[in-house]
Structure formats: C-alpha cells, structure tokens
Amino acid sequence: MCGRTSCHLPRDALTRACAYLDRQGRRQLPQWRDPDKYCPSYNKSPQSSSPVLLSRLHFEKDADSSDRIIFPMRWGLVPSWFKESDPSKLQFNTSNCRSDTIMEKQSFKAPLGKGRRCVVLADGFYEWQRCQGTNQRQPYFIYFPQSKTEKSGENSGSDSLNNKEEVWDNWRLLTMAGIFDCWEPPKGERLYSYSIITVDSCRGLSDIHSRMPAILDGEEAVSKWLDFGEVSTQEALKLIHPIDNITFHPVSPVVNNSRNNTPECLAPADLLVKKEPKASGSSQRMMQWLATKSPKKEVPDSPKKDASGLPQWSSQFLQKSPLPTKRGASSSLLDRWLKQEKEDEPVAKRPNS
C-alpha cells in the first residue's frame, strides 16, 4: 500500500523535474492547472492535495494527448457518482487501488475506462515495517536510486530550455501510476481526486510490506500511461507490475505524525545495536551502512555495547536488501541535498516560490 509520501520541491523546481519530450521529440515543460493549490510538504497523507501529471487532452479537446499538465488533486478518489455533499462521508478507502481488482470495482473501473490515468509525483513514499516481537513499527523512506551529478543545482532559477541540455539534474522524482475522477457536489466547485495503484511488493521490499505503489520507471512508461488518446487501457495495464529499481533507508518516527512537516521526516535515521548481531557478512555490511548515517556519533568499538531502538532485523531481510552500495550512495546524496535545503530558506515555508 501507500499511505504517506513526500513532495517538497517548490513549484518552479517541480516543473523542471517534470520536463519531457513531446511527440515531435522537443523538450517541454508541463504547464500548471490551479497552481496555487500546490503546497510542498515532506509528509503528505490521504485527503491532502498532491501534484499529478496528466494529459492536456482531458481539458482541451484539440490538444495533443502527449502534452502534459501538472494538477494538484485530492489524494483519495471521490467517484463521480457519489451523492453526498461531503467527500469525507465516503464509506470506503480510495487512497489506494489494487491492480488485481481495478477492473472489478466500479469506483476505479469507470474512470479507468474513460482514460483518466495520471502519474502521482513524489520525492518518495514512506512505509512501516513491524518489528518482530514488539508492537513497534520502523518507518522507511523509499525512492528511486539517485545518480551523482557535478552540475546539480546550476541555473536552478530559470525555466529556460534554450541554454541547457537538461532542465533538471537533481533529485529524480518517484512516478507512481494513478487514476483520477471528477466529482461535482450539489453546491461548490468540482473536485478532482486520485488513487494510487498498488501491486505486490518487489523482492527487495517484501519484508517491509507486502504491497507497493505501481511505479512507472522511465520516460517511456510515463508517456504510455498518460497518453490515453493513443495507448489503450489494456496496453497501459501491462505497465502495472512490481519493479526492483528502488532503494530505501530507515527514517525517524517523527514521520509517524502527519502534522510533522520538516526535512527530518525523510533524513536517514541512525539505528543502534541492542545486542551482538549474528556473524554474517550481510549483518556487518548493514550495520556499517547504518553507522555512516550519523557522522556526529562515534561507531562503537564493539557490537556488544548495549543500546536501544533497533528493529528486530531478520537475516532473511538483510539478505534480501537490494544493492547496498547503491542505497548508501543514494542516502549520501540525500544528506547533501537536505543540507543544501537547510542552508537556504526552508522550502516548506515558501510553498509558492
């Protein structure tokens, strides 16, 4: 499932991060619809507003279906046939939509049949793993592996496409497949809302949770999902499956409260050893990686040193952890990225910059 995300970039940076090639191969920036409704946040929960990508053809009959717009929508699909005056009175949860039942439930089948496909944008999403033998849960931040770049942040104040080969070379946004609908209340404005499609977790995430968002990995997958004018529903649904190109790190329990909206929500957490781990290469590599996330603390000379706060890692989970070197590199990049954010005015305090 997916019940919490982060999407903290200011509007201009988010626009550049969504640059795409149109049908003629020209690099374009998506235009905004209702941009004032976008509020950057490190901790977005259902019923809040989040930015989604969708085809311009949904709003302009003469538009090319490959052209894109960014539209902040309510997270939690409200079906067009809903009769109540308050969407909070909806009796079932529509923040997620299972891929295996999407064609069985009218709330999702109807908008999908109309081509109402969207791509939900986020830095990444959060998931909680139950700690063995306790009632505690350890949160994780899950995202695309990030590539290091030498020119990250250059010309960040310009949306011009003329002088740059790429308009964004910083954090790669997570692109999740979704469907949306339009509900017209008895009184008031139309409400656009969406649901994130979920699939069985990939092998690397299965020990954290059994479900994960349907992630569209790459420009081709995003284009096909959005282009309902050229790509049929049956063809688009072939894109909905688990992917392994994903990485993660543990984060602080501060994210558990959706009212907390600070960079600490997605910063790598330091998990301390409570007792000596089993003698395995996987355990040693994991603890070495975790130790690098807390540069202000010394690494204990002996793993026997008592401390508290470590989830009960299973050896199976450690063995299944995907590409630890990539995860470490991504977290290191995240550290630098967050440090740069702190040096400037906090993004969360200037949502429309």
Side-chain angles (χ1 to χ4, degrees), residues 78-350:
V78 179
S80 58
W81 46 261
F82 185 59
K83 301 300 183 183
E84 299 286 347
S85 58
D86 185 353
S88 65
K89 295 182 179 180
L90 193 64
Q91 296 297 310
F92 46 93
N93 188 342
T94 57
S95 57
N96 292 165
C97 166
R98 292 180 62 99
S99 61
D100 50 343
T101 60
I102 194 170
M103 298 302 291
E104 299 173 7
K105 297 184 177 181
Q106 190 63 21
S107 299
F108 305 129
K109 179 181 178 180
L112 184 63
K114 296 177 182 178
R116 292 181 171 176
R117 310 192 298 250
C118 64
V119 172
V120 183
L121 303 172
D123 311 321
F125 71 99
Y126 301 99
E127 194 53 84
W128 284 258
Q129 180 195 38
R130 289 195 175 276
C131 303
Q132 293 182 3
T134 72
N135 292 325
Q136 297 179 346
R137 297 193 302 166
Q138 171 60 48
Y140 289 84
F141 183 57
I142 305 169
Y143 50 100
F144 274 137
Q146 303 295 312
S147 300
K148 294 182 179 180
T149 174
E150 298 298 328
K151 58 179 182 176
S152 177
E154 290 182 4
N155 301 321
S156 60
S158 172
D159 281 348
S160 173
L161 299 176
N162 298 326
N163 299 322
K164 295 199 301 180
E165 183 178 347
E166 296 181 351
V167 294
W168 182 254
D169 59 352
N170 207 306
W171 190 264
R172 182 188 176 193
L173 292 177
L174 196 67
T175 43
M176 300 175 284
I179 54 176
F180 73 94
D181 209 346
C182 176
W183 172 65
E184 297 190 35
K187 296 181 180 180
E189 298 181 358
R190 293 179 177 178
L191 176 66
Y192 286 87
S193 57
Y194 71 89
S195 178
I196 296 175
I197 300 175
T198 65
V199 295
D200 290 334
S201 281
C202 63
R203 184 175 61 178
L205 295 181
S206 60
D207 284 293
I208 296 178
H209 200 277
S210 60
R211 306 286 295 178
M212 67 181 291
I215 297 170
L216 301 167
D217 188 7
E219 174 62 22
E220 182 179 359
V222 170
S223 295
K224 286 184 176 180
W225 182 252
L226 292 179
D227 194 354
F228 73 100
E230 298 291 333
V231 181
S232 68
T233 299
Q234 292 74 18
E235 191 67 22
L237 287 176
K238 295 178 182 179
L239 302 167
I240 305 303
H241 54 75
I243 70 162
D244 293 312
N245 185 30
I246 203 73
T247 189
F248 59 89
H249 62 252
V251 295
S252 166
V254 71
V255 75
N256 293 355
N257 189 332
S258 61
R259 292 189 294 271
N260 293 332
N261 177 21
T262 68
E264 185 183 358
C265 289
L266 50 75
D270 182 32
L271 305 184
L272 301 178
V273 182
K274 186 173 184 180
K275 60 182 180 179
E276 182 177 3
K278 295 181 179 180
S280 71
S282 295
S283 297
Q284 293 172 7
R285 287 193 296 273
M286 174 62 78
M287 297 315 301
Q288 289 170 359
W289 173 72
L290 291 174
T292 64
K293 304 302 109 188
S294 184
K296 294 182 180 179
K297 297 182 181 180
E298 295 182 0
V299 178
D301 294 332
S302 170
K304 297 180 181 180
K305 183 177 180 180
D306 288 336
S308 61
L310 177 71
Q312 300 299 310
W313 302 97
S314 68
S315 59
Q316 179 184 23
F317 172 72
L318 291 172
Q319 292 168 2
K320 285 187 175 184
S321 296
L323 304 175
T325 54
K326 283 190 177 181
R327 184 164 66 251
S330 296
S331 294
S332 177
L333 178 61
L334 178 65
D335 289 335
R336 295 196 300 273
W337 183 53
L338 290 172
K339 182 178 180 181
Q340 182 179 358
E341 294 287 346
K342 289 181 180 180
E343 291 174 353
D344 300 327
E345 182 185 357
V347 171
K349 293 183 179 180
R350 46 185 177 87

